[in-house]
Amino acid sequence: MHSHLHRSLILRTLSSSSSRFALPPFPNSLSTMASSSLTLPSISLRKQLPFNASSSDSLRIRSLRLRNPDRSRVFMTSVSVGSQALVNDSLFSDYNPTSAFLFPGQGAQAVGMGKEAQNVPAAAELYKKANDILGFDLLDICVNGPKEKLDSTVISQPAIYVTSLAAVELFRLRDGGQQIIDSVDVTCGLSLGEYTALAFAGAFSFEDGLKLVKLRGEAMQEAADAAKSAMVSVIGLDSEKVQQLCDAANQEVDEADKVQIANYLCPGNYAVSGGVKGVEAVEAKAKSFKARMTVRLAVAGAFHTSFMEPAVSRLEAALAATEIRTPKIPVISNVDAQPHADPDTIKKILARQVTSPVQWETTVKTLLTKGLKKSYELGPGKVIAGIVKRMDKSAVIENVGA
């Protein structure tokens, strides 16, 4: 909050179990998001609930209903100065998930993805827009490869972002698809997938999200090229044992080669990032710590560690120039496994994300504990479904590709 403001943002939750409000649906296609302008998290993408700004500080009260009619009514009091409104970042802190859209991250790509999207106009349009932004035929690389090109960081990240949102368009056309989309009340994505989730939730347009993802891939590749680093998955140990393994490896390498847990995926599957020598030490010691196996990951470098620090300033500059709005539904952050409503906070977290461990295990555990009934993995691969099922065999999750 800015110190010169005379009033602060207040969130009050009042019990209101007897009232019911129907919520309007998501838009007919993601391509309509580009013109969407929102300063308040109305659940609809079609209708806006703008702040009424005046020349002087004014207190405006808007009432919102979250998707679940059994939730308490949320009243949001805002302070608006000129055309800018401040939003309480904890708006979604008491979310109660029932239906979730989950989006994959880098590594899910595979030659042939996007093939079905060619036959759906709204999905094909996303690839056409991507071609204009990227300057090359993304769909051709997705469908035909070659694999080495698709696997590169600078191409795989935009490819997964676009293909995942294309999967939403395919899903929309199936019987009852639009109704399910309208019922989704939480979304999140693994690393790169967080950008996809934010686009789905209307925090930024498809085009702006793609520009950010393009820059993110380029910046991460450049950071990886600047130092020899790597990632390895450690299978069969809990997180405490993996941390002990990292500590043991770090005793044998210089500061520049030290490693840390970068992805907390699920019990028994944690990714370790760091200098190449540190990663090699982890691989050499893993058996002595009773790990079942280690798998070197085919990525450019030590993502989600300080090795990615050179990418942060570029991301910060790009995020500062991007219009980000309050999401219409909770989007769970990879950095702290919490939903955020304040656009400025979202920008800061996205910049920090590339150097911060991914808290995916906590995210999924929280969703399941809070009563999530069904989730959908939209995009290439089945990595997320495998993680969810590993954490709860009875969990209901469906894959939707493109």
Side-chain angles (χ1 to χ4, degrees):
M1 299 292 174
H2 300 294
S3 58
H4 66 275
L5 293 177
H6 298 295
R7 300 179 179 91
S8 62
L9 190 67
I10 305 168
L11 183 70
R12 296 200 303 272
T13 304
L14 302 176
S15 175
S16 180
S17 59
S18 60
S19 301
R20 304 269 193 259
F21 275 77
L23 293 165
F26 275 76
N28 291 328
S29 82
L30 283 160
S31 60
T32 64
M33 285 187 184
S35 60
S36 173
S37 177
L38 192 71
T39 53
L40 187 75
S42 67
I43 302 300
S44 167
L45 291 185
R46 283 196 180 127
K47 295 184 179 180
Q48 304 169 20
L49 292 175
F51 283 107
N52 295 323
S54 65
S55 57
S56 60
D57 293 2
S58 60
L59 210 60
R60 305 291 182 186
I61 300 178
R62 297 280 178 181
S63 64
L64 293 175
R65 289 194 180 272
L66 299 183
R67 286 187 173 277
N68 188 333
D70 293 326
R71 295 183 204 174
S72 50
R73 195 187 335 176
V74 175
F75 285 90
M76 192 162 75
T77 304
S78 72
V79 174
S80 57
V81 183
S83 61
Q84 187 177 18
L86 300 178
V87 177
N88 190 329
D89 189 55
S90 63
L91 176 65
F92 298 123
S93 61
D94 61 345
Y95 74 103
N96 294 305
T98 58
S99 178
F101 269 15
L102 311 177
F103 296 99
Q106 188 173 348
Q109 71 276 0
V111 174
M113 70 184 198
K115 191 172 183 179
E116 294 180 54
Q118 298 175 92
N119 303 317
V120 177
E125 180 64 22
L126 296 181
Y127 285 99
K128 289 179 182 178
K129 290 183 177 182
N131 293 348
D132 293 337
I133 292 170
L134 300 172
F136 58 84
D137 191 336
L138 180 66
L139 182 58
D140 179 62
I141 298 173
C142 287
V143 174
N144 302 311
K147 183 180 184 300
E148 295 74 21
K149 193 171 185 179
L150 180 60
D151 284 348
S152 67
T153 299
V154 294
I155 291 180
S156 63
Q157 293 198 21
I160 293 166
Y161 171 85
V162 176
T163 302
S164 297
L165 292 175
V168 175
E169 298 307 330
L170 268 70
F171 188 85
R172 195 187 305 277
L173 293 183
R174 64 186 249 181
D175 188 33
Q178 184 64 55
Q179 284 183 310
I180 293 172
I181 290 172
D182 294 341
S183 73
V184 170
D185 48 18
V186 67
T187 182
C188 51
L190 182 57
S191 188
L192 157 73
E194 187 171 340
Y195 287 77
T196 320
L198 286 164
F200 171 74
F204 43 64
S205 69
F206 167 79
E207 292 88 345
D208 284 348
L210 180 56
K211 290 173 185 176
L212 288 172
V213 167
K214 175 180 181 291
L215 180 138
R216 181 181 187 265
E218 293 168 350
M220 291 174 74
Q221 181 66 57
E222 288 182 12
D225 291 342
K228 291 182 179 180
S229 61
M231 293 184 73
V232 60
S233 282
V234 180
I235 311 299
L237 297 179
D238 60 30
S239 59
E240 185 177 346
K241 280 288 186 182
V242 176
Q243 184 58 55
Q244 292 173 8
L245 173 58
C246 290
D247 292 342
N250 286 338
Q251 290 178 3
E252 298 187 1
V253 297
D254 296 334
E255 188 68 31
D257 278 309
K258 289 193 173 181
V259 295
Q260 68 179 68
I261 300 176
N263 284 353
Y264 291 82
L265 293 174
C266 63
N269 190 348
Y270 302 95
V272 172
S273 286
V276 171
K277 290 182 180 179
V279 168
E280 289 172 348
V282 167
E283 292 169 333
K285 291 178 174 293
K287 287 292 184 183
S288 66
F289 278 80
K290 309 300 183 186
R292 187 154 59 87
M293 63 189 298
T294 60
V295 179
R296 185 74 71 98
L297 300 180
V299 295
F303 297 163
H304 300 291
T305 70
S306 59
F307 279 85
M308 292 294 109
E309 193 64 41
V312 173
S313 59
R314 288 187 63 187
L315 274 170
E316 285 175 337
L319 288 161
T322 301
E323 180 189 2
I324 293 185
R325 302 174 288 274
T326 297
K328 293 159 187 70
I329 57 175
V331 179
I332 312 303
S333 163
N334 280 255
V335 173
D336 59 7
Q338 297 292 328
H340 297 275
D342 175 50
D344 286 339
T345 301
I346 293 171
K347 290 182 180 185
K348 291 174 183 176
I349 284 177
L350 287 178
R352 284 175 50 205
Q353 193 220 59
V354 292
T355 58
S356 303
V358 173
Q359 302 295 338
W360 191 251
E361 180 180 357
T362 301
T363 295
V364 174
K365 183 178 179 181
T366 301
L367 290 174
L368 295 172
T369 300
K370 280 177 168 283
L372 181 68
K373 292 181 173 58
K374 184 167 185 179
S375 55
Y376 301 82
E377 178 178 8
L378 293 104
K382 298 181 179 181
V383 172
I384 290 176
I387 291 172
V388 173
K389 282 290 189 180
R390 185 177 181 88
M391 295 184 69
D392 184 353
K393 291 182 180 179
S394 66
V396 181
I397 183 166
E398 181 180 340
N399 294 95
V400 181

